[in-house]
Amino acid sequence: MFLALRELRFARGRFALMGVVIALISVLVVFLSGLSSGLVNDGVSGLKALPATAFAFDQGTMKDNAFSRSVVGAEQLSAWQDADGIAAAEPMGVTIVNGATDDGTQIDLTLFGVEPDGFLAPAVSDGDGLGDIAGIVVSEPLREAGVDIGTVVTLDRLDLELTVVGFTKGQATFGHVDVAYLPVRTWQLIAAGAAQPGAPTAAQLDALDFPYSSVVALRADDGAEPDFAALDQDADTTTMTLAESFNASPGYEAETLTLTMIQVFLYAICALVVGAFFTVWTIQRTHDIAVLRAVGASSRYLLRDSLAQAAILLVGFTAVGVAAGVGMGAAMPDAMPFDLEPAPIAIASALTIGLGLLGAAVAVIRIVRIDPLRALGGQR
């Protein structure tokens, strides 16, 4: 470490310039991490909040936007309710609609039709839970749009009136649209096209013959690992686990793959930049290293010293970049889907440091090939 620290002090201008580049890369890493987390939460936070193990879609449903494409019937629901290893199976409807509040504010909603007394019923942070056939529990961020307890939302083209009775705990979105939970029978009234202007009534639900939903939500027995493939054969469905179902949200897979590719290229750039810097730095130090080799310094000592130098540079300036990125990220506008989560930032920072060290290691390995005779003028 003696030589590494001495060189850091001696060539502090060059190392500071390299450090600024590492810090800027770290800022970009934090921004991409925040955008990735924000897009995930804005796209599927409603699904992530559901205590479901998996979802059964109609057999043959395309994976992209599967929640909107799938339609399952009563027989498929019954098959899952009788399946081994399944503690609960409930119908769930998913529809994205447009509407307006009673003061004329236009809003978009993803309707989640669930059993009011089932395991999918949302916990509320304010107001009441599901129960009233005309009541909806909406995502907490809708308060910013002026929605409050008692607000009446009128759905476009149907003129169906639904009243806000509660708010979810935290954000609940699907496809970047705020979620509104409502009784599944009310959802079936909407999906069947049988809704009449005004609030839904018990008479309308009693007259409804529409035993369909978008998916069957499944909760496995504790500790059980159901054979979904075999059970799908019996129920004529295609099952996705909760995590797999995220890709069935509109645009989710394309968004996450795009950001992941950008992150991969950023990590590669970090390794190449650090590697290039230490390659040039090693070439400039060739005579000094040869002198050290001539007086008895081992290759292992010189490699360890150079990697320690790279580690100090990477850890120090990555920390500076992460701190700057977190500070700037906190000032992002609310309209941007940006969430700073410690775990993704820590993983991204560790990858930046690790790949940077890998690039440095490839660069400084040339130390072992430096001939000590160069220190004595043997090649002059």
PDB file of all heavy atoms in Angstrom, residues 288-306:
ATOM      1  N   ASP A 288       9.891   2.487 -13.471  1.00  0.00           N
ATOM      2  CA  ASP A 288       9.861   2.450 -12.006  1.00  0.00           C
ATOM      3  C   ASP A 288       9.583   1.038 -11.498  1.00  0.00           C
ATOM      4  O   ASP A 288      10.183   0.590 -10.510  1.00  0.00           O
ATOM      5  CB  ASP A 288       8.792   3.404 -11.483  1.00  0.00           C
ATOM      6  CG  ASP A 288       9.092   4.856 -11.813  1.00  0.00           C
ATOM      7  OD1 ASP A 288      10.279   5.166 -12.000  1.00  0.00           O
ATOM      8  OD2 ASP A 288       8.147   5.656 -11.894  1.00  0.00           O
ATOM      9  N   ILE A 289       8.674   0.357 -12.170  1.00  0.00           N
ATOM     10  CA  ILE A 289       8.354  -1.019 -11.756  1.00  0.00           C
ATOM     11  C   ILE A 289       9.555  -1.928 -11.979  1.00  0.00           C
ATOM     12  O   ILE A 289       9.852  -2.818 -11.168  1.00  0.00           O
ATOM     13  CB  ILE A 289       7.112  -1.524 -12.530  1.00  0.00           C
ATOM     14  CG1 ILE A 289       5.874  -0.739 -12.099  1.00  0.00           C
ATOM     15  CG2 ILE A 289       6.893  -3.019 -12.295  1.00  0.00           C
ATOM     16  CD1 ILE A 289       4.656  -1.003 -12.951  1.00  0.00           C
ATOM     17  N   ALA A 290      10.282  -1.697 -13.096  1.00  0.00           N
ATOM     18  CA  ALA A 290      11.476  -2.501 -13.366  1.00  0.00           C
ATOM     19  C   ALA A 290      12.520  -2.312 -12.273  1.00  0.00           C
ATOM     20  O   ALA A 290      13.201  -3.263 -11.866  1.00  0.00           O
ATOM     21  CB  ALA A 290      12.051  -2.115 -14.724  1.00  0.00           C
ATOM     22  N   VAL A 291      12.668  -1.084 -11.785  1.00  0.00           N
ATOM     23  CA  VAL A 291      13.603  -0.826 -10.682  1.00  0.00           C
ATOM     24  C   VAL A 291      13.183  -1.613  -9.442  1.00  0.00           C
ATOM     25  O   VAL A 291      14.018  -2.235  -8.760  1.00  0.00           O
ATOM     26  CB  VAL A 291      13.668   0.684 -10.376  1.00  0.00           C
ATOM     27  CG1 VAL A 291      14.464   0.938  -9.103  1.00  0.00           C
ATOM     28  CG2 VAL A 291      14.281   1.437 -11.539  1.00  0.00           C
ATOM     29  N   LEU A 292      11.911  -1.577  -9.116  1.00  0.00           N
ATOM     30  CA  LEU A 292      11.422  -2.320  -7.962  1.00  0.00           C
ATOM     31  C   LEU A 292      11.657  -3.820  -8.131  1.00  0.00           C
ATOM     32  O   LEU A 292      12.022  -4.510  -7.176  1.00  0.00           O
ATOM     33  CB  LEU A 292       9.923  -2.047  -7.752  1.00  0.00           C
ATOM     34  CG  LEU A 292       9.569  -0.634  -7.286  1.00  0.00           C
ATOM     35  CD1 LEU A 292       8.046  -0.433  -7.325  1.00  0.00           C
ATOM     36  CD2 LEU A 292      10.090  -0.391  -5.870  1.00  0.00           C
ATOM     37  N   ARG A 293      11.421  -4.330  -9.362  1.00  0.00           N
ATOM     38  CA  ARG A 293      11.694  -5.746  -9.610  1.00  0.00           C
ATOM     39  C   ARG A 293      13.179  -6.047  -9.430  1.00  0.00           C
ATOM     40  O   ARG A 293      13.555  -7.096  -8.893  1.00  0.00           O
ATOM     41  CB  ARG A 293      11.265  -6.111 -11.035  1.00  0.00           C
ATOM     42  CG  ARG A 293       9.764  -6.089 -11.301  1.00  0.00           C
ATOM     43  CD  ARG A 293       9.065  -7.250 -10.611  1.00  0.00           C
ATOM     44  NE  ARG A 293       9.636  -8.529 -10.965  1.00  0.00           N
ATOM     45  CZ  ARG A 293       9.331  -9.199 -12.081  1.00  0.00           C
ATOM     46  NH1 ARG A 293       8.442  -8.693 -12.932  1.00  0.00           N
ATOM     47  NH2 ARG A 293       9.895 -10.353 -12.333  1.00  0.00           N
ATOM     48  N   ALA A 294      14.038  -5.103  -9.861  1.00  0.00           N
ATOM     49  CA  ALA A 294      15.484  -5.316  -9.778  1.00  0.00           C
ATOM     50  C   ALA A 294      15.970  -5.366  -8.338  1.00  0.00           C
ATOM     51  O   ALA A 294      16.946  -6.072  -8.025  1.00  0.00           O
ATOM     52  CB  ALA A 294      16.220  -4.220 -10.545  1.00  0.00           C
ATOM     53  N   VAL A 295      15.319  -4.621  -7.444  1.00  0.00           N
ATOM     54  CA  VAL A 295      15.766  -4.608  -6.049  1.00  0.00           C
ATOM     55  C   VAL A 295      15.041  -5.666  -5.205  1.00  0.00           C
ATOM     56  O   VAL A 295      15.151  -5.646  -3.984  1.00  0.00           O
ATOM     57  CB  VAL A 295      15.570  -3.216  -5.425  1.00  0.00           C
ATOM     58  CG1 VAL A 295      16.417  -2.186  -6.160  1.00  0.00           C
ATOM     59  CG2 VAL A 295      14.111  -2.807  -5.417  1.00  0.00           C
ATOM     60  N   GLY A 296      14.262  -6.513  -5.875  1.00  0.00           N
ATOM     61  CA  GLY A 296      13.702  -7.655  -5.152  1.00  0.00           C
ATOM     62  C   GLY A 296      12.213  -7.674  -4.928  1.00  0.00           C
ATOM     63  O   GLY A 296      11.700  -8.609  -4.289  1.00  0.00           O
ATOM     64  N   ALA A 297      11.478  -6.675  -5.402  1.00  0.00           N
ATOM     65  CA  ALA A 297      10.019  -6.686  -5.214  1.00  0.00           C
ATOM     66  C   ALA A 297       9.409  -7.817  -6.046  1.00  0.00           C
ATOM     67  O   ALA A 297       9.739  -7.981  -7.221  1.00  0.00           O
ATOM     68  CB  ALA A 297       9.429  -5.344  -5.621  1.00  0.00           C
ATOM     69  N   SER A 298       8.534  -8.577  -5.445  1.00  0.00           N
ATOM     70  CA  SER A 298       7.912  -9.701  -6.146  1.00  0.00           C
ATOM     71  C   SER A 298       6.768  -9.214  -7.032  1.00  0.00           C
ATOM     72  O   SER A 298       6.189  -8.149  -6.815  1.00  0.00           O
ATOM     73  CB  SER A 298       7.376 -10.730  -5.154  1.00  0.00           C
ATOM     74  OG  SER A 298       6.290 -10.181  -4.409  1.00  0.00           O
ATOM     75  N   SER A 299       6.467 -10.042  -8.039  1.00  0.00           N
ATOM     76  CA  SER A 299       5.329  -9.715  -8.913  1.00  0.00           C
ATOM     77  C   SER A 299       4.033  -9.673  -8.121  1.00  0.00           C
ATOM     78  O   SER A 299       3.164  -8.828  -8.375  1.00  0.00           O
ATOM     79  CB  SER A 299       5.229 -10.745 -10.040  1.00  0.00           C
ATOM     80  OG  SER A 299       6.367 -10.708 -10.864  1.00  0.00           O
ATOM     81  N   ARG A 300       3.890 -10.583  -7.167  1.00  0.00           N
ATOM     82  CA  ARG A 300       2.672 -10.609  -6.359  1.00  0.00           C
ATOM     83  C   ARG A 300       2.507  -9.306  -5.574  1.00  0.00           C
ATOM     84  O   ARG A 300       1.406  -8.761  -5.499  1.00  0.00           O
ATOM     85  CB  ARG A 300       2.712 -11.793  -5.402  1.00  0.00           C
ATOM     86  CG  ARG A 300       1.487 -11.888  -4.505  1.00  0.00           C
ATOM     87  CD  ARG A 300       1.567 -13.111  -3.612  1.00  0.00           C
ATOM     88  NE  ARG A 300       1.556 -14.344  -4.405  1.00  0.00           N
ATOM     89  CZ  ARG A 300       1.611 -15.564  -3.877  1.00  0.00           C
ATOM     90  NH1 ARG A 300       1.711 -15.704  -2.557  1.00  0.00           N
ATOM     91  NH2 ARG A 300       1.600 -16.629  -4.645  1.00  0.00           N
ATOM     92  N   TYR A 301       3.604  -8.801  -5.013  1.00  0.00           N
ATOM     93  CA  TYR A 301       3.532  -7.550  -4.259  1.00  0.00           C
ATOM     94  C   TYR A 301       3.102  -6.397  -5.159  1.00  0.00           C
ATOM     95  O   TYR A 301       2.242  -5.588  -4.807  1.00  0.00           O
ATOM     96  CB  TYR A 301       4.900  -7.241  -3.631  1.00  0.00           C
ATOM     97  CG  TYR A 301       5.005  -5.833  -3.076  1.00  0.00           C
ATOM     98  CD1 TYR A 301       4.472  -5.516  -1.838  1.00  0.00           C
ATOM     99  CD2 TYR A 301       5.619  -4.817  -3.827  1.00  0.00           C
ATOM    100  CE1 TYR A 301       4.548  -4.217  -1.343  1.00  0.00           C
ATOM    101  CE2 TYR A 301       5.701  -3.527  -3.345  1.00  0.00           C
ATOM    102  CZ  TYR A 301       5.154  -3.227  -2.097  1.00  0.00           C
ATOM    103  OH  TYR A 301       5.222  -1.941  -1.616  1.00  0.00           O
ATOM    104  N   LEU A 302       3.699  -6.323  -6.364  1.00  0.00           N
ATOM    105  CA  LEU A 302       3.391  -5.227  -7.277  1.00  0.00           C
ATOM    106  C   LEU A 302       1.944  -5.313  -7.783  1.00  0.00           C
ATOM    107  O   LEU A 302       1.263  -4.300  -7.919  1.00  0.00           O
ATOM    108  CB  LEU A 302       4.366  -5.241  -8.451  1.00  0.00           C
ATOM    109  CG  LEU A 302       5.823  -4.922  -8.089  1.00  0.00           C
ATOM    110  CD1 LEU A 302       6.730  -5.141  -9.293  1.00  0.00           C
ATOM    111  CD2 LEU A 302       5.943  -3.480  -7.596  1.00  0.00           C
ATOM    112  N   LEU A 303       1.465  -6.527  -8.060  1.00  0.00           N
ATOM    113  CA  LEU A 303       0.078  -6.700  -8.486  1.00  0.00           C
ATOM    114  C   LEU A 303      -0.884  -6.289  -7.371  1.00  0.00           C
ATOM    115  O   LEU A 303      -1.882  -5.599  -7.617  1.00  0.00           O
ATOM    116  CB  LEU A 303      -0.171  -8.156  -8.889  1.00  0.00           C
ATOM    117  CG  LEU A 303       0.388  -8.592 -10.244  1.00  0.00           C
ATOM    118  CD1 LEU A 303       0.258 -10.102 -10.402  1.00  0.00           C
ATOM    119  CD2 LEU A 303      -0.327  -7.883 -11.381  1.00  0.00           C
ATOM    120  N   ARG A 304      -0.576  -6.747  -6.154  1.00  0.00           N
ATOM    121  CA  ARG A 304      -1.435  -6.410  -5.023  1.00  0.00           C
ATOM    122  C   ARG A 304      -1.468  -4.903  -4.791  1.00  0.00           C
ATOM    123  O   ARG A 304      -2.524  -4.324  -4.514  1.00  0.00           O
ATOM    124  CB  ARG A 304      -0.950  -7.153  -3.774  1.00  0.00           C
ATOM    125  CG  ARG A 304      -1.878  -6.993  -2.572  1.00  0.00           C
ATOM    126  CD  ARG A 304      -1.458  -7.915  -1.438  1.00  0.00           C
ATOM    127  NE  ARG A 304      -0.125  -7.604  -0.945  1.00  0.00           N
ATOM    128  CZ  ARG A 304       0.926  -8.413  -1.059  1.00  0.00           C
ATOM    129  NH1 ARG A 304       0.798  -9.591  -1.670  1.00  0.00           N
ATOM    130  NH2 ARG A 304       2.111  -8.069  -0.581  1.00  0.00           N
ATOM    131  N   ASP A 305      -0.313  -4.282  -4.940  1.00  0.00           N
ATOM    132  CA  ASP A 305      -0.231  -2.839  -4.722  1.00  0.00           C
ATOM    133  C   ASP A 305      -1.035  -2.087  -5.786  1.00  0.00           C
ATOM    134  O   ASP A 305      -1.765  -1.130  -5.483  1.00  0.00           O
ATOM    135  CB  ASP A 305       1.237  -2.413  -4.773  1.00  0.00           C
ATOM    136  CG  ASP A 305       1.449  -1.032  -4.183  1.00  0.00           C
ATOM    137  OD1 ASP A 305       1.455  -0.914  -2.950  1.00  0.00           O
ATOM    138  OD2 ASP A 305       1.587  -0.073  -4.976  1.00  0.00           O
ATOM    139  N   SER A 306      -0.940  -2.512  -7.043  1.00  0.00           N
ATOM    140  CA  SER A 306      -1.665  -1.839  -8.129  1.00  0.00           C
ATOM    141  C   SER A 306      -3.171  -2.034  -7.993  1.00  0.00           C
ATOM    142  O   SER A 306      -3.957  -1.111  -8.231  1.00  0.00           O
ATOM    143  CB  SER A 306      -1.186  -2.374  -9.483  1.00  0.00           C
ATOM    144  OG  SER A 306       0.173  -2.052  -9.697  1.00  0.00           O
TER     145      SER A 306
END
